[in-house]
Amino acid sequence: MRITKIEPLVLGTPWRDLTYLRVHTDDGIVGVGETRMLGHTEALLGYFNEAARNHVIGADPFNIEALVWRMKRGDYGRAGEVVMSGIACVEMACWDIIGKALGQPVWRLLGGNVRDGIKAYANGWYTVERTAEQFHEAARAVVDSGYRALKFDPFGPGRWELEPAELRRSVELVSAVRDAVGPEVEILVEMHGRFTPAEATRIAKELAPFDPSWIEEPVPPENQEALAKVSRNTTLPVATGERIHDRIEFRELFERQSADIIQPDIGHFGGILETRKVAATAETHYVLLAPHNVGGPVLTAANLHLAAVTENFKIQEHFNDFADSHVKQAAPGVPEVEDGYFALPQGPGLGVELDVDFVREYPARGARFDLYAEDWQFRGTKGENAS
């Protein structure tokens, strides 16, 4: 079996463009991968054009390790977000092809499941004004829908440090969410790399009474010593990793013990196997895995297959029940969240099929997502909600 063509398609929403890649083979089996770029979708499409002729066309989709190595190392230049995202799409699609060819779900091909259900947390649910009342109401709706964990960023457009009034407001939002969901539901606080180590530590102390299961990316991702400083000075678990694109870059994090949970994004990290390799290294350091996922149904499916086989997996992020829920129609087949958990995918390959016609109904919108803008939490929907 050989790859004969790759076919990218982009589905647009107000705040994210989702890139799908169909990988065609000479025996008619088509696999699909997905990533979500932030402002770099056109760069990714350009990379696909070059990678197709240089590495992908003519490759055996069963030889995933060799294909990933060529794409990552064969151009000599260091692979960053764009290249690793392109690799991820091709790699996922190859797993989809293999599973379809063998009639097995990918998790069986990766060694079989170590869990029967995959705990999920909701994101994208707080497209409301930053008031305690509206956050309380929105959080209650998440629990009523069946989730037992939810994540949110209460800090508005905060940057480096918060004014005293803004700190009080942010803490009030966390308090409101905790009150809404009760003590048995996990709350996860996202910091989006906004703060200095001192400010992140100060905020963590204020949040501790509400028992968040982690604070995420408390400082910008480039400086591991800054992250370690926060970890040393808070009792809260620290999570990070969505903006790390190569497993080798996690080495310093593990050595410094600067995080308790890592969050690589399969769609930016070279795919399922690359993420599984860093998860195995994390396990040797007693660090948990909670993959970042702002993708649609294909990327979500890939995450579920990885979670099924990963011993140190903690919880899976999911947007699509609350933000742009229509995108689930792009590739039906992902199990619904019930009582806080996804069931294991059962179909061959990734267990989903891309609806090309549906994707083409929602062309790219050139979405730009600015976390330092006022009202960013509406994710491009505020005007739509008002109309």
Side-chain angles (χ1 to χ4, degrees):
M1 184 188 297
R2 298 290 169 180
I3 296 171
T4 57
K5 181 175 74 170
I6 65 172
E7 176 190 7
L9 302 103
V10 181
L11 185 155
T13 82
W15 66 283
R16 57 177 175 165
D17 287 337
L18 304 176
T19 302
Y20 296 96
L21 186 73
R22 300 180 80 215
V23 174
H24 298 255
T25 63
D26 55 8
D27 71 350
I29 298 177
V30 178
V32 64
E34 181 190 2
T35 191
R36 184 280 325 231
M37 304 301 293
L38 277 174
H40 301 153
T41 298
E42 292 294 331
L44 177 64
L45 297 178
Y47 171 70
F48 280 141
N49 288 334
E50 293 185 287
R53 65 175 181 263
N54 292 336
H55 305 299
V56 182
I57 302 304
D60 181 347
F62 277 73
N63 284 349
I64 290 176
E65 290 277 15
L67 178 54
V68 168
W69 190 93
R70 289 196 304 274
M71 295 180 74
K72 186 176 179 180
R73 305 293 185 191
D75 293 329
Y76 191 70
R78 184 176 178 183
E81 179 189 67
V82 172
V83 171
M84 295 303 288
S85 301
I87 293 172
C89 289
V90 172
E91 196 261 11
M92 270 181 258
C94 286
W95 278 113
D96 195 29
I97 290 165
I98 294 168
K100 289 174 178 176
L102 300 178
Q104 295 290 331
V106 167
W107 58 262
R108 286 189 179 275
L109 306 178
L110 294 171
N113 61 306
V114 297
R115 57 182 47 83
D116 296 323
I118 297 157
K119 189 172 184 179
Y121 71 85
N123 204 341
W125 55 271
Y126 53 105
T127 52
V128 296
E129 298 291 346
R130 289 180 62 236
T131 67
E133 295 77 14
Q134 292 203 23
F135 266 60
H136 188 285
E137 181 180 354
R140 187 68 239 171
V142 175
V143 175
D144 290 344
S145 75
Y147 279 86
R148 296 295 173 263
L150 68 168
K151 187 172 81 177
F152 60 108
D153 178 337
F155 303 110
R159 184 175 181 183
W160 296 124
E161 63 180 7
L162 299 176
E163 295 292 335
E166 267 302 304
L167 176 58
R168 289 194 299 272
R169 182 183 189 185
S170 299
V171 172
E172 286 171 0
L173 296 181
V174 177
S175 175
V177 171
R178 174 53 79 198
D179 182 70
V181 304
E184 302 302 321
V185 171
E186 287 193 73
I187 65 172
L188 313 165
V189 177
E190 167 74 86
M191 292 183 166
H192 278 127
R194 296 184 182 282
F195 301 120
T196 68
E199 182 72 344
T201 302
R202 182 169 75 110
I203 293 169
K205 184 177 180 180
E206 296 289 331
L207 300 184
F210 309 108
D211 193 28
S213 292
W214 72 52
I215 54 171
E216 179 172 332
E217 215 178 38
V219 295
E222 297 85 3
N223 186 330
Q224 290 298 325
E225 180 54 36
L227 183 66
K229 182 178 179 181
V230 176
S231 295
R232 289 193 298 265
N233 289 285
T234 181
T235 60
L236 299 179
V238 172
T240 196
E242 70 181 74
R243 289 189 274 182
I244 298 176
H245 308 306
D246 190 319
R247 55 192 160 90
I248 296 169
E249 294 175 12
F250 276 100
R251 177 189 57 80
E252 186 178 356
L253 181 148
F254 294 139
E255 290 176 352
R256 294 179 182 273
Q257 297 186 327
S258 53
D260 305 284
I261 302 102
I262 60 166
Q263 301 172 289
D265 187 316
I266 290 178
H268 296 316
F269 204 74
I272 294 170
L273 274 185
E274 289 292 292
T275 310
R276 192 178 189 192
K277 289 173 182 178
V278 79
T281 306
E283 186 178 3
T284 69
H285 292 80
Y286 312 131
V287 171
L288 298 179
L289 176 78
H292 178 259
N293 172 36
V294 193
V298 175
L299 192 52
T300 298
N303 275 283
L304 299 185
H305 288 277
L306 176 68
V309 304
T310 303
E311 177 62 33
N312 56 326
F313 168 82
K314 174 177 171 61
I315 196 167
Q316 182 57 59
E317 183 171 22
H318 190 226
F319 269 81
N320 302 324
D321 284 330
F322 296 95
D324 318 313
S325 59
H326 69 285
V327 305
K328 293 195 289 186
Q329 299 175 56
V334 176
E336 296 292 333
V337 174
E338 296 185 9
D339 197 24
Y341 286 79
F342 287 103
L344 299 188
Q346 296 300 321
L350 295 177
V352 296
E353 286 295 334
L354 189 68
D355 185 334
V356 174
D357 291 336
F358 179 86
V359 173
R360 287 173 175 159
E361 288 179 18
Y362 296 89
R365 298 170 64 167
R368 183 172 182 271
F369 188 48
D370 182 359
L371 281 159
Y372 300 104
E374 291 287 344
D375 290 334
W376 67 262
Q377 76 275 8
F378 283 96
R379 300 178 189 276
T381 65
K382 188 170 186 178
E384 295 180 8
N385 290 345
S387 62

